[in-house]
Amino acid sequence: MASMDEEKKPLLADEEGKAGDEEQELQEPDDSMSYDARKLVSFDVFKDLSGTVWTKSSLWKMMGMLVLISLTVSIVVACTLKDPSKLEVGKFQKISGFLKVVVGLLLGFFLSNSVQRWYNCTNGFLELFDAIRCLHMQLSALGVPKERI
């Protein structure tokens, strides 16, 4: 009996059921695919950082270490190099040009792979919706009552 009541509930709760659901609404979902549709249509979506990379402590630790390394290298170079104009930068320019090509190629591969995955996902959803539509047509053709469909 309880499962029938759950099936008849609307997806977005009305104002009546809101009072009982306030405690559940305050809890953060464990799943990154769960969301509250009411938050998405308000400006609160710009203030909410929960579940994003900006709240990851490992990201900030790594960023701090990289800044520390770059500052250390720049201080060592500034202290040990007497005249920066005598530095041969031709080798660095060759390495920089090579890295630009490699990074561009890798970004191209990544973007191509991402677009292919998106295309496969959209095709999967379209196939799912097509199967649901066919099932609905078959149930209607077989004379199943509309309240059961």
Side-chain angles (χ1 to χ4, degrees):
M1 226 23 180
S3 64
M4 289 295 285
D5 294 335
E6 291 293 321
E7 289 179 6
K8 291 182 181 180
K9 262 189 188 177
L11 292 177
L12 293 175
D14 294 336
E15 298 297 324
E16 303 167 349
K18 206 173 190 181
D21 294 337
E22 284 179 0
E23 291 176 15
Q24 183 182 6
E25 196 174 308
L26 294 176
Q27 296 175 352
E28 287 291 323
D30 294 337
D31 184 13
S32 63
M33 297 301 293
S34 299
Y35 59 90
D36 183 10
R38 288 175 292 242
K39 278 187 180 178
L40 291 178
V41 296
S42 68
F43 285 106
D44 289 340
V45 73
F46 295 115
K47 293 187 284 186
D48 188 20
L49 296 178
S50 62
T52 64
V53 295
W54 301 111
T55 59
K56 297 268 187 196
S57 62
S58 61
L59 172 83
W60 292 109
K61 286 178 187 175
M62 181 59 70
M63 192 66 193
M65 288 189 333
L66 291 174
V67 166
L68 186 64
I69 290 171
S70 64
L71 286 175
T72 304
V73 168
S74 65
I75 290 171
V76 167
V77 168
C79 291
T80 58
L81 195 59
K82 302 279 185 203
D83 189 14
S85 63
K86 293 182 180 176
L87 190 63
E88 294 179 25
V89 295
K91 294 176 184 175
F92 294 117
Q93 288 176 342
K94 286 181 184 177
I95 292 172
S96 175
F98 173 74
L99 289 176
K100 285 180 186 177
V101 171
V102 169
V103 168
L105 187 66
L106 290 176
L107 282 174
F109 287 145
F110 174 75
L111 187 61
S112 173
N113 191 12
S114 296
V115 169
Q116 186 66 36
R117 282 186 287 155
W118 173 82
Y119 182 76
N120 289 338
C121 284
T122 55
N123 277 342
F125 276 116
L126 290 175
E127 288 175 7
L128 174 68
F129 295 149
D130 191 38
I132 291 170
R133 186 179 54 85
C134 288
L135 178 65
H136 189 267
M137 287 185 341
Q138 288 177 359
L139 289 173
S140 294
L142 291 172
V144 176
K146 284 189 178 185
E147 56 271 358
R148 297 281 304 205
I149 293 180

